[in-house]
Amino acid sequence: MVAAVMPEDRNNAVIQAIKAYGKNLLGFIRRRVKSDADAEDILQDVWYQLSAVFNAQPIEQTSAWLYKVARNKIIDRHHKKTEALLDDLTPGNDEGDNLPDLKCLLLTEAKTPETEYLRNLFWQQLFIALDELPESQKQVFIWHELDNMPFAEIAERTGEKVQTLVSRKYYAVMHLRRRLKQLYTEITEY
């Protein structure tokens, strides 16, 4: 009989946490991400993790735990976006050369002077290269890659066709690949 009551108590605890912290936690997340959709996705991940943890162990300070998990999810999302951006900008390794992985250098958790310098250099050069693009290509790239805005939303905002936007982003990526190729070579030989 006790086993049947415990899951119900856990469900009630999750529901109470959602009621008590949901609105403030969503506001916390929204201030740290670019879109409401991202904020809602992260919040849903937090609630899912909360329900999984409640099934395994009690949480002593629910508020602190929720905000810590939310911060970690925000950081994870940022890293995924950065990884996707790096995948898009770095040349393929089709020749089979064994160059070090640029993502490993730029996304490492280590905060050494070298890694900080490389990160700053990469972002500085990326934005310099973006400034060389026509404004329409630059803006589509920023919205889609850095702000994680879907092409459909950009099309609504600009009144342009999705295919036009995809084409502009393609030309932006080609320019950035050419422009950042030397930096890529220097960083990976580092």
Side-chain angles (χ1 to χ4, degrees):
M1 188 83 159
V2 174
V5 174
M6 288 177 61
E8 186 176 310
D9 289 343
R10 289 182 184 138
N11 288 341
N12 288 336
V14 171
I15 292 169
Q16 288 173 354
I18 290 171
K19 288 179 182 177
Y21 302 108
K23 186 176 180 180
N24 290 337
L25 190 58
L26 182 59
F28 171 83
I29 296 167
R30 275 190 178 141
R31 288 189 298 274
R32 288 159 178 79
V33 296
K34 298 289 183 184
S35 71
D36 288 345
D38 282 348
E40 291 168 5
D41 287 347
I42 290 170
L43 184 62
Q44 183 176 0
D45 289 345
V46 171
W47 296 138
Y48 177 77
Q49 191 165 340
L50 177 67
S51 67
V53 168
F54 266 145
N55 289 332
Q57 66 190 31
I59 298 174
E60 292 198 19
Q61 294 202 354
T62 305
S63 176
W65 186 92
L66 288 170
Y67 283 91
K68 182 178 180 181
V69 170
R71 271 191 298 278
N72 290 341
K73 297 286 182 188
I74 292 165
I75 290 168
D76 289 348
R77 178 149 311 216
H78 175 70
H79 280 173
K80 285 178 186 174
K81 285 183 191 177
T82 305
E83 287 175 16
L85 172 63
L86 292 175
D87 284 343
D88 211 15
L89 292 181
T90 55
N93 199 3
D94 297 334
E95 293 87 38
D97 26 331
N98 295 317
L99 292 175
D101 189 4
L102 181 61
K103 287 190 293 190
C104 289
L105 291 171
L106 294 175
L107 298 177
T108 182
E109 291 295 321
K111 296 244 183 211
T112 66
E114 293 84 11
T115 58
E116 289 301 308
Y117 171 76
L118 290 175
R119 280 187 200 112
N120 291 336
L121 181 63
F122 170 78
W123 288 107
Q124 178 186 30
Q125 292 301 310
L126 174 66
F127 285 110
I128 289 170
L130 279 170
D131 285 339
E132 297 169 354
L133 289 169
E135 188 61 31
S136 59
Q137 291 177 10
K138 173 184 171 181
Q139 194 58 58
V140 168
F141 182 87
I142 289 171
W143 281 335
H144 191 255
E145 286 297 327
L146 302 181
D147 294 344
N148 202 29
M149 190 181 298
F151 281 118
E153 189 176 329
I154 299 170
E156 276 182 36
R157 179 180 280 194
T158 63
E160 300 281 350
K161 293 180 181 176
V162 170
Q163 275 308 105
T164 301
L165 299 171
V166 170
S167 178
R168 287 180 183 163
K169 182 188 169 202
Y170 170 80
Y171 288 117
V173 168
M174 292 296 103
H175 169 76
L176 294 172
R177 280 185 183 169
R178 280 190 306 276
R179 181 65 171 69
L180 297 174
K181 185 176 183 177
Q182 181 63 32
L183 177 65
Y184 174 79
T185 302
E186 290 172 12
I187 288 175
T188 56
E189 288 176 357
Y190 172 74

